[in-house]
Structure formats: structure tokens, C-alpha cells
Amino acid sequence: MIDIFIEDLNQKFSFNEGITLKDILKNLNGKFKDVVGGKLNGEIIDIHTPINQSGNLKFLKKEDKDSLEILRHSLAHIMAQALKEIYGDENVHLGIGPTTEHGFYYDVEIEGKRLTDEDLPQIEEKMKEIIKKGYQIERFELPREEAIKFFENKKEIYKIDIIKHNIPEGEPISLYKQGDFVDLCRGPHLPSTDKAGAFKLISVSGAYWRGKETNPMLQRIYGVAFWSEKELKDYLNMIEEAKKRDHRKIGKDLELFLIDEEIGGGLAIWLPKGAIIRKEIEDAWKKEHLKRGYQLVYTPHVGKEQLWQTSGHLSFYQENMYPRMQIEEEGYYVKPMNCPFHVEIYKSKQRSYKELPIRLAELGTVYRYERSGALHGLMRVRGFTQDDAHIICREDQVEDEIREVLNLALNTLKSYGFDEFEVYLSTKPEKYVGDDKMWEVAESSLRKAIESTGLDYKIDEGGGAFYGPKIDVKIKDAIGRLWQCSTIQFDFNLPERFDMYYIGEDNQKHRPYMIHRAIFGSIERFIGVLLEHYAGFLPVWLSPVQVKIIPIADKHLEYAETVKQKLLENDIRVELDDRNERMNKKIRDAELQKIPFMLVVGDKEAETGTVAVREKGKQGSQTLSIDEFVSKIKEIISNKHAL
Ligand SMILES: [Zn+2]
Ligand SMILES: [Zn+2]
């Protein structure tokens, strides 16, 4: 017998081992009609899978986000079935069909057919037919040899490969059946095909079996799926909108940065205009950190092998690091993190309890290995700049420090125009280092800090790193996408490994608390997010060119030059368009460059010492004296306004 506590009923039941969610629901006399699956001890299960362990069960309904996993995985099967019906059972060999963040894909081999986007509508139609037919989805198990024989008969060579190489001997081999279609699968699946929601097939591309170039190339068909048509439509609109805002295109059009194969994938070069954006962000960051009692430091880009051994990076982080360099008799590594250097700064002299907290901050560029296929503009690079800081403090300071960091993070992100956040707290995992009391102090300080902000948060129970609990903050951009930015991470590992201590009031050595924290995470990525959030129309304080002066004719150039000088004296970034072009062309070009202000000057302006101001997003123009305009734009800049 097993004991199952059903959260939805707030009641504990005893069942025979091997009972399914389907049986449980039957016992409840159909009281829960809209259940599509469940969550057993945190793991998603479907109504078909035998339950062999006691624990906590929560019913999953459509409104639970986890239920999407079941929907999307079932749609992968429905798509596979459709392909078999269209191209013939014996011609379609199935690879793997997992879920993705917004949908699913299936890798397939189709003899004699290379799919293109034009084939997708027909496949969609067939899928809709299968959904309409409402096949019951059934689960069954086969002994290993029988399962292999079953797939041999169907020429499903990839399924056999999976059984032989991915399913350990002795483990049950489960299959799912809907109509005539049978697939090797662990689940989870819907009760029947007509429970499937709204979907769309998006694209088809090549994918090597098991990602290996020496293996056959299969065809990967991507789909997206949601429970309702509206959610699907919103998502597709968002994707369209995201394409228009692609920071790689904006970066190119506005000449902000350069990522080029000749330099190396994932290695960004900041062009003059992009460098201004970055400088503004970095200046504001430094100013705010100094104000809040951080000390700025600079550390090298490489460090000795021994340092990375002591820090543990060579044992648990090496796959993300670039290979060893030999310099004279020593090995060196390019840094994937700044932490060990900051620890060395702390350790460079004996520290007293009176000196704490010590807050060391650095815009430190780190290098991490990313697969070339995963690189994406500024969002996923191989070299990036962390807005990093390490706080080293006493136990009685932990709570204040964490609250301050979270406050700094949220205020900073708000100053860039983000006002929707998702906050996550990750707590102690099964395997961990450090003593329990320190974990308790750390977790409670994180919790209290979040609660003091009044924000909702999600707890990832047991999801923390082995060396400490953390808070993650995601921001929501203008089209509803979430981006991971801030992290506040305790570390009980490095202080031990580096034997960090301070001399307490009692004249004894004490282990300090250590906190890693970043607000943007990566400056490169954050600028990518900003460009997409604002669709390139950055707030005035960040705009590389804040004002474009447009003389109507050559004879107005001299006055235009006077206006330019006046703006430069006031630290306003200004360009004068002295090309021999028509005024309308100049205005259009300035618009394409997403410049927030244009000052048109002609006879009237030159005579009266004024400028005709055209402001982004506003119709027509407004005539102001030069001084009036200067004070207007200065106020907008100092308030970090977006137009
Ligand atoms: Zn499946
Ligand atoms: Zn760190």
C-alpha cells in the first residue's frame, strides 16, 4: 500500500501500489472533470502512469502552468501520427519529440520527402483531424526484447537506439497508443487527443540524430501550443513584434556594436555609438554603488591555475572555461568569474569585525564557453561584463545587506523603465556545503527582503546551488517577455576554500558570510534587452545622439553651428546634418536613427535666436529659444525620461 496526500482534497488516502491518477479520479466519482494530469512529489505525471510511491499529489488543470507540458508533449505525438498518416507508416522514422519553452518539436526521418514550410499547413490539417477524432490515449508496457522487436517490425531504428542506449536494463519500457499510432514514451500525455488545445507549426529545419554530425540528418518540425486560441494568437503576435525589435538588426542599423565571424563568435565590439550607451550605464552604476558604500576594484582577465583549483572552478565549472594556457612554467586560465580575485582582495590583509561589511564592486568582463549554435547577438555571448559585487559581512549584518541589495536592484531596474518583476527564491538542495544555521540565516534574510518589497515570489524548494540559497529577479519587457537579470547568491563554499576570516570582538577568528550579486547580470545582454524593450528608441539619457540639428539651407549653417556649440557646452550629445540634402530627407534619416530631438533652423529661427523643436512621438514642432530648449532637454535627461 502507498499513502497519497491529495492537496486538492486536503486529505490522505491509502491506495494499492500501481494505482493511476485515472483510477483515483474515478474513485472520486467524476468530481474533478477538468483534471489533465497531476504533480506527484513535484514531478508531472499523467492520468495513465502507475503510481508506485507515497507522497503529495496535486491535480493539474488547464490553468496550472505545468499542465502545458502535458499538452505540448501530446501534440508532438499527434504530429508524429499525422506524419505517418500522410507519408506512410513505413516511410516515417521517429527520433525524439520533446517539449520546448513554448511548444514542442519532433525529429523525424521521412523517406523520399524533404519537408518545407509549405508542407506545414497540410500536417496541421491532419493533426486537427486526429484531435477531432478524440482517440483515447493509452499507456502500456512491454518487456525489453519485445519492445525492440515491436519497433524492428516498424523499422523504427531510432526508437531501438533509444531503448538500447538510454533505457537501463530492468527499467520498464512504456509505450503510448492513440488510434493505430504507438510511440515509445515516458509520458506525460493527455487522457485523449480531443483534449489538445491550440497549436501552430512554426518551422522545419535539419537536426543531426543525437546532435552528432556523423549521424544521419533528421528533419525537425517545431510547433508552439497553448490551451486557448487567444493565448496562441497573443504569442504569435509577440513573436512578430519581437522580430521587428530584434536587437541585432537595431544594433546594425544604428551602428551600436559589431559581432563578426572574423573576430570570433560571441565576442562583441562596441562601436562609438554603442560605447556611449554602455558608458552611460556604467557611469550611473558606479555612481550609485559608490553612494551605497561599495568600493570599486579592477581585476585581471586571467589567473593562475592554482587559484581556480582553490576556488573549485576547475572541478565543478571547467566545461564552461576556456583551455589552459602555459606561461613559463605555470598554467593560467581566462576568468569565467570575478569572485576569486575579490576574495584575494579581502584576504590581502587581516580584517577586523569593525571593517565589515566590505562591498567590492567591479564591472568585470568574464569569458565562458557557449556552443557556437547557442550564440545569439548580445543575449548569448562568449565574453560578457558582469556588474558584479561581493559583499562580505557578519551574521548580524546579513539581513540589512540583503534588503539593501534587493532595493538597489529593483530601483536600478525601475530607472530603466521596467516595472514588472518576477522574483524567485531558491532554497537548500539535498546536497549542500556549509552549516545548517548559516543556511537558515541566509534563507530567512532573503525571504524577509522579498517580503519587505511587497512583491509576490515563487519558491524553488531545494532548487538552490550546493553552496548557498539565492534570489533571482526577472524583468518583463514591453512585449511581455521575461528576462533574468538580478541574482543575489549566498556562498558558503568560497569562504571555506579560501579560509576567509575576520577577527571578532572576542579576538577570535570568525568565518564571514559572502554574497555574490549582480543587478543586470551581463551589461551586454542588458543592453540587448533595452534595445528590444524600447524597439531602439532609448530614453534620452541613453541615446547616443540626443539632438540632430537640421539647417533648412546652406545659408543657415552658421546659425546651426552656434546652436550646436551651445548644446555641446551643456553636455548634450548633438550632431549637425550639414549634408547637401533636402530637409525632408534629413528629417527622415534622423527618424530612422531614432534620435529623440530634431532642431530645424531656417531664416525665422536665425533671426529670433530660436529653434523649431520636433520631438519623437509628437506631431508638428514647437518653437523655443535655445535656452528654453536646453533646460527642457536637461530636465528630461536628468529624470532619465523616455519619450
Ligand atoms: Zn510521448
Ligand atoms: Zn561571485
Side-chain angles (χ1 to χ4, degrees):
M1 296 293 273
I2 49 172
D3 292 326
I4 302 285
F5 177 79
I6 300 180
E7 283 182 28
D8 308 72
L9 295 165
N10 199 20
Q11 201 179 335
K12 196 174 184 175
F13 296 84
S14 285
F15 295 116
N16 287 325
E17 211 178 303
I19 189 167
T20 62
L21 186 51
K22 194 176 183 173
D23 300 328
I24 293 175
L25 291 169
K26 218 182 276 168
N27 289 342
L28 297 171
N29 298 326
K31 220 174 113 194
F32 293 91
K33 280 206 173 61
D34 43 354
V35 174
V36 294
K39 221 170 169 184
L40 179 69
N41 300 330
E43 213 170 295
I44 300 170
I45 60 165
D46 59 24
I47 66 159
H48 318 283
T49 308
I51 299 172
N52 296 319
Q53 51 171 316
S54 298
N56 247 36
L57 177 67
K58 186 183 169 309
F59 296 150
L60 284 182
K61 298 173 196 160
K62 287 183 182 176
E63 56 266 31
D64 300 309
K65 226 175 160 216
D66 286 322
S67 69
L68 280 167
E69 181 77 18
I70 302 176
L71 166 73
R72 288 168 179 164
H73 186 60
S74 298
L75 277 161
H77 276 227
I78 291 169
M79 180 169 76
Q81 183 176 8
L83 291 170
K84 292 225 170 215
E85 288 185 15
I86 297 170
Y87 300 107
D89 194 4
E90 64 289 354
N91 296 325
V92 179
H93 312 304
L94 302 173
I96 53 165
T99 56
T100 60
E101 199 187 345
H102 302 288
F104 58 91
Y105 68 79
Y106 217 125
D107 285 349
V108 302
E109 184 176 61
I110 307 175
E111 280 179 37
K113 175 73 189 172
R114 186 117 299 261
L115 293 171
T116 66
D117 287 351
E118 271 87 79
D119 296 309
L120 300 180
Q122 189 196 357
I123 304 170
E124 284 177 356
E125 274 318 300
K126 190 53 102 180
M127 288 171 72
K128 282 177 189 158
E129 266 174 44
I130 294 167
I131 290 171
K132 228 174 166 180
K133 284 196 176 137
Y135 296 116
Q136 290 299 308
I137 299 177
E138 294 158 55
R139 180 187 184 279
F140 63 100
E141 291 182 6
L142 283 181
R144 194 179 183 85
E145 286 314 311
E146 263 179 67
I148 291 174
K149 202 165 284 163
F150 176 85
F151 286 112
E152 267 168 5
N153 284 336
K154 294 173 103 35
K155 295 203 191 102
E156 291 283 14
I157 46 174
Y158 302 108
K159 295 294 173 189
I160 297 167
D161 194 48
I162 292 171
I163 297 176
K164 288 188 176 162
H165 296 107
N166 296 67
I167 305 180
E169 299 263 2
E171 220 170 80
I173 293 182
S174 60
L175 296 90
Y176 280 79
K177 182 177 188 304
Q178 58 201 42
D180 297 334
F181 176 71
V182 178
D183 199 354
L184 174 72
C185 182
R186 267 192 315 230
H189 281 290
L190 295 170
S192 57
T193 59
D194 54 1
K195 296 275 191 293
F199 71 95
K200 183 162 180 55
L201 301 184
I202 294 295
S203 66
V204 50
S205 61
Y208 291 107
W209 174 238
R210 294 191 184 275
K212 243 203 214 137
E213 285 171 42
T214 47
N215 283 341
M217 168 85 89
L218 307 186
Q219 312 193 57
R220 176 170 296 178
I221 311 167
Y222 277 104
V224 293
F226 296 86
W227 283 116
S228 69
E229 288 292 341
K230 182 181 181 304
E231 288 164 296
L232 176 67
K233 220 176 119 203
D234 288 349
Y235 175 77
L236 294 173
N237 285 342
M238 193 265 281
I239 293 297
E240 267 316 297
E241 191 52 40
K243 265 188 213 156
K244 286 185 225 154
R245 292 164 180 256
D246 192 328
H247 74 283
R248 294 169 298 181
K249 185 176 182 313
I250 295 171
K252 200 168 179 185
D253 293 347
L254 305 190
E255 296 182 22
L256 303 179
F257 59 88
L258 181 66
I259 296 178
D260 194 299
E261 269 312 314
E262 228 167 280
I263 300 151
L267 300 169
I269 285 183
W270 291 95
L271 300 171
K273 284 183 176 159
I276 286 175
I277 302 173
R278 182 164 164 172
K279 179 193 166 294
E280 287 293 338
I281 293 174
E282 293 187 353
D283 286 352
W285 187 93
K286 287 179 184 165
K287 200 172 150 197
E288 189 62 31
H289 279 71
L290 289 170
K291 210 197 284 178
R292 291 181 182 244
Y294 285 80
Q295 296 168 291
L296 299 181
V297 296
Y298 295 90
T299 65
H301 286 230
V302 294
K304 237 163 144 178
E305 187 162 24
Q306 183 55 50
L307 182 71
W308 305 109
Q309 232 139 33
T310 307
S311 69
H313 285 91
L314 283 177
S315 42
F316 65 80
Y317 205 70
Q318 197 170 14
E319 72 269 27
N320 303 301
M321 294 168 69
Y322 290 102
R324 184 179 183 275
M325 285 177 274
Q326 178 85 21
I327 299 168
E328 291 169 355
E329 300 308 310
E330 309 273 7
Y332 284 79
Y333 285 89
V334 173
K335 67 173 168 185
M337 293 188 196
N338 305 301
C339 336
F341 297 110
H342 291 195
V343 172
E344 293 295 344
I345 293 169
Y346 177 83
K347 285 186 57 176
S348 61
K349 60 180 192 179
Q350 177 151 298
R351 304 290 183 174
S352 135
Y353 70 97
K354 287 184 203 149
E355 285 172 75
L356 302 183
I358 288 175
R359 310 182 188 99
L360 300 172
E362 176 178 16
L363 294 162
T365 304
V366 297
Y367 296 86
R368 297 181 187 174
Y369 172 68
E370 293 279 355
R371 283 180 305 109
S372 47
L375 298 173
H376 180 84
L378 294 175
M379 305 298 195
R380 200 97 179 247
V381 287
R382 285 181 171 159
F384 64 94
T385 308
Q386 282 186 308
D387 63 316
D388 208 0
H390 294 91
I391 297 169
I392 299 150
C393 68
R394 308 188 306 255
E395 185 168 306
D396 62 296
Q397 296 169 325
V398 166
E399 223 175 283
D400 284 344
E401 288 303 310
I402 296 295
R403 193 165 4 89
E404 275 300 304
V405 173
L406 187 60
N407 171 285
L408 169 62
L410 296 176
N411 278 330
T412 304
L413 295 171
K414 280 179 194 163
S415 74
Y416 286 88
F418 298 102
D419 44 24
E420 274 191 77
F421 306 102
E422 284 201 0
V423 183
Y424 302 81
L425 170 66
S426 304
T427 62
K428 191 166 75 183
E430 259 173 52
K431 281 188 188 158
Y432 61 94
V433 297
D435 75 81
D436 288 311
K437 180 165 172 264
M438 289 180 96
W439 275 87
E440 257 165 54
V441 170
E443 286 184 7
S444 116
S445 70
L446 293 172
R447 214 178 285 261
K448 280 186 191 162
I450 306 174
E451 278 161 10
S452 77
T453 66
L455 291 170
D456 279 340
Y457 64 106
K458 292 186 186 115
I459 302 179
D460 184 2
E461 210 64 71
F466 73 90
Y467 50 85
K470 66 166 175 175
I471 295 176
D472 286 311
V473 179
K474 290 185 185 176
I475 52 175
K476 194 177 261 184
D477 74 8
I479 56 172
R481 293 175 300 179
L482 288 171
W483 301 94
Q484 163 68 41
C485 287
S486 314
T487 301
I488 306 169
Q489 167 83 61
F490 276 92
D491 193 331
F492 302 128
N493 191 38
L494 288 186
E496 289 291 329
R497 284 179 162 271
F498 281 94
D499 191 26
M500 294 163 74
Y501 65 86
Y502 65 90
I503 303 297
E505 215 168 343
D506 56 4
N507 255 319
Q508 302 293 311
K509 287 182 177 180
H510 295 271
R511 194 70 81 214
Y513 281 72
M514 179 172 176
I515 300 147
H516 312 254
R517 44 112 288 183
I519 292 166
F520 305 128
S522 146
I523 302 263
E524 284 77 0
R525 187 162 153 284
F526 187 69
I527 293 176
V529 173
L530 279 179
L531 291 174
E532 298 203 357
H533 176 66
Y534 286 109
F537 293 103
L538 292 174
V540 183
W541 74 284
L542 289 174
S543 293
V545 181
Q546 294 164 323
V547 178
K548 189 82 155 189
I549 302 172
I550 298 174
I552 292 173
D554 276 355
K555 60 175 173 169
H556 307 117
L557 264 176
E558 198 187 318
Y559 177 65
E561 196 61 54
T562 325
V563 176
K564 182 181 168 185
Q565 282 312 318
K566 189 78 195 231
L567 297 186
L568 284 175
E569 281 162 25
N570 283 281
D571 300 322
I572 294 158
R573 295 189 288 269
V574 54
E575 276 179 5
L576 170 58
D577 190 344
D578 55 7
R579 293 176 303 165
N580 193 6
E581 292 280 1
R582 297 179 60 82
M583 184 181 78
N584 282 340
K585 161 110 174 101
K586 290 183 185 179
I587 289 176
R588 204 170 60 242
D589 286 349
E591 277 168 355
L592 287 174
Q593 286 295 302
K594 304 188 192 288
I595 296 168
F597 287 100
M598 283 178 241
L599 304 183
V600 178
V601 293
D603 287 339
K604 198 183 98 202
E605 286 76 21
E607 272 161 34
T608 53
T610 57
V611 288
V613 183
R614 296 173 69 101
E615 188 175 332
K616 186 234 145 195
K618 284 198 180 152
Q619 291 293 327
S621 64
Q622 182 192 18
T623 301
L624 294 179
S625 74
I626 302 178
D627 286 339
E628 281 168 340
F629 175 70
V630 167
S631 63
K632 173 186 168 104
I633 190 172
K634 280 179 100 169
E635 196 190 316
I636 289 171
I637 290 169
S638 69
N639 289 326
K640 299 189 169 181
H641 271 312
L643 296 181

